[in-house]
Amino acid sequence: MKRVEYSKYGSAEVLNVVNIPKPSIKGKNQILVKVLYSSLNAIDWKNRKGKFRFVSGLIQPRTKQGFDVVGIITDISK
């Protein structure tokens, strides 16, 4: 599985595609989605550029982004 992440604030050049293990679902009311399409919204790219670090107080960026997705549910927790 692949994910785009970054470890410092900046332009699109800070983005890296990395391989990660397939996640598993834990607990109740969880689903696993196979993502077919993903996008970054304005909040995502502004956060990547560091526009919100003074509001959030974060020195290090949050690297999980791209929550706007289209996909297929592949597993549902019991």
Side-chain angles (χ1 to χ4, degrees), residues 63-75:
T63 62
K64 294 181 181 178
Q65 299 200 339
F67 293 103
D68 299 338
V69 301
V70 173
I72 300 168
I73 296 174
T74 60
D75 199 4

Side-chain angles (χ1 to χ4, degrees), residues 2 5 7 16 18 27 32 36 38 51 55 72-73 76:
K2 295 185 185 297
E5 64 183 24
S7 58
N16 297 302
V18 297
L32 184 63
L36 302 175
S38 176
K51 301 278 186 186
V55 175
I72 300 168
I73 296 174
I76 301 172

Side-chain angles (χ1 to χ4, degrees), residues 14-62:
V14 302
L15 298 173
N16 297 302
V17 178
V18 297
N19 289 312
I20 62 168
K22 179 182 173 182
S24 61
I25 57 173
K26 300 171 189 148
K28 294 182 179 182
N29 302 319
Q30 299 283 313
I31 62 172
L32 184 63
V33 177
K34 179 180 180 179
V35 175
L36 302 175
Y37 299 97
S38 176
S39 68
L40 296 176
N41 60 39
I43 299 294
D44 293 325
W45 62 262
K46 287 178 183 177
N47 188 46
R48 187 203 70 229
K49 288 185 171 188
K51 301 278 186 186
F52 299 125
R53 67 180 146 188
F54 300 111
V55 175
S56 67
L58 294 175
I59 302 299
Q60 294 295 320
R62 291 185 181 136

